[in-house]
Amino acid sequence: MRIAIIEDEPLAAEKLTGYIHRQWPEAQILATLASIDEVIHFFNQPQSLDLLFSDIDLSDGQVFSALEQIDLPCPVIFTTSYNDYWMNAFQHQGIEYLLKPFSFKRFSQAVANYHSLFTQRQAAEPIAFKQRFIIKQQGASEMLNVTEIHCFRAANGTILAGDKQGQYHILSDNNLSQLEAQLDPKVFFRINRADIININSLIKFETYTKETLALYIKGYSEMLVTSKTRTANFRKWLES
């Protein structure tokens, strides 16, 4: 288990570290970051993480100002003394919101939610991936099958599903990380912090910068660009 912590209060960081090692004795805490600059510097390099624990109010500003500049490789459990930021938290790959001071029991509940969303089930148990969405069309509800979706895009707290006609539909889901966990990873890949594509919709791709690729999707004139932290895994995914 590879974990990073964003926390500028030493006692809070120490308590959280204790909870983590109590939950996962073999966990590797790769970094404890205490400022916006440290967060940006750490995540500007490719990181292999399973989970991030993050405070919100740091000494030099809110952590969201850093998260908006980087491509997180994992979900986030936010830890904070304030109940005002939960909407922002879930727009930045948050899957849980722990109010300080939280007990180990509450911590374990958050961890259980992480496991239910992101860890592999036993091989004997088939994984039930998302098959369809209910969408609103002119006052009525219609079904949109996952097979008809070429891409998912997150913007301003809303998730859009792009269909094969090049039209976007607003989904009731508002957390791209949780949605990603419900999709078949053999078919869908998250190419950056805001976009997930269907492999069957990919027409071609080409070099965009030294570390990124430009992707062209059926029915869409706008190209999508992989983030530098996901490009290598995207290439491997295409060949798997």
Side-chain angles (χ1 to χ4, degrees):
M1 190 71 180
R2 300 174 300 278
I3 295 171
I5 296 171
I6 301 174
E7 176 60 72
D8 64 345
E9 300 177 10
L11 290 179
E14 182 179 351
K15 178 180 178 180
L16 180 56
T17 298
Y19 280 179
I20 291 170
H21 284 143
R22 182 175 170 186
Q23 182 75 38
W24 297 291
E26 303 303 320
Q28 300 177 52
I29 299 179
L30 302 186
T32 299
L33 312 166
S35 69
I36 301 297
D37 286 343
E38 287 183 15
V39 172
I40 294 173
H41 178 75
F42 179 76
F43 283 104
N44 272 341
Q45 303 299 319
Q47 302 293 340
S48 178
L49 284 177
D50 298 301
L51 184 59
L52 174 66
F53 288 90
S54 179
D55 193 6
I56 293 176
D57 277 320
L58 304 178
S59 59
D60 57 347
Q62 290 188 355
V63 74
F64 303 126
S65 65
L67 301 185
E68 288 169 357
Q69 301 179 52
I70 60 180
D71 181 22
L72 286 173
C74 64
V76 185
I77 293 178
F78 285 94
T79 63
T80 178
S81 300
Y82 305 97
N83 198 28
D84 303 328
Y85 307 122
W86 64 270
M87 182 60 74
N88 281 339
F90 290 116
Q91 292 175 6
H92 290 84
Q93 298 185 210
I95 59 167
E96 270 285 1
Y97 194 92
L98 296 178
L99 279 175
K100 299 176 182 177
F102 51 88
S103 65
F104 181 72
K105 179 179 180 181
R106 178 68 186 93
F107 172 86
S108 296
Q109 291 171 344
V111 167
N113 187 34
Y114 162 76
H115 280 299
S116 69
L117 289 168
F118 293 96
T119 59
Q120 291 292 327
R121 303 174 188 176
Q122 294 181 353
E125 180 185 355
I127 299 176
F129 295 116
K130 191 83 170 178
Q131 297 298 312
R132 63 193 62 85
F133 295 88
I134 298 176
I135 58 173
K136 300 290 185 181
Q137 289 281 26
Q138 299 178 345
S141 296
E142 298 182 5
M143 304 303 296
L144 179 63
N145 291 328
V146 170
T147 54
E148 299 176 4
I149 298 174
H150 284 188
C151 62
F152 296 92
R153 311 201 72 183
N156 300 319
T158 300
I159 296 180
L160 304 174
D163 65 21
K164 57 187 177 183
Q165 282 79 37
Q167 298 180 334
Y168 285 109
H169 307 275
I170 299 175
L171 303 182
S172 59
D173 306 65
N174 61 10
N175 187 310
L176 198 64
S177 291
Q178 291 189 5
L179 174 60
E180 180 186 11
Q182 300 175 58
L183 300 173
D184 187 346
K186 294 181 180 179
V187 179
F188 291 93
F189 189 90
R190 187 169 181 174
I191 62 170
N192 55 46
R193 62 192 295 265
D195 298 314
I196 298 174
I197 70 158
N198 182 333
I199 191 172
N200 299 308
S201 70
L202 182 63
I203 300 173
K204 65 177 182 178
F205 63 93
E206 61 189 19
T207 300
Y208 187 70
T209 68
K210 182 179 179 180
E211 298 178 301
T212 64
L213 298 171
L215 312 183
Y216 297 87
I217 306 299
K218 295 177 183 176
Y220 297 86
S221 57
E222 179 187 1
M223 67 180 181
L224 303 180
V225 179
T226 62
S227 67
K228 65 180 182 180
T229 58
R230 298 177 189 255
T231 298
N233 285 336
F234 175 72
R235 289 183 179 275
K236 292 178 182 177
W237 177 72
L238 286 178
E239 298 175 353
S240 63

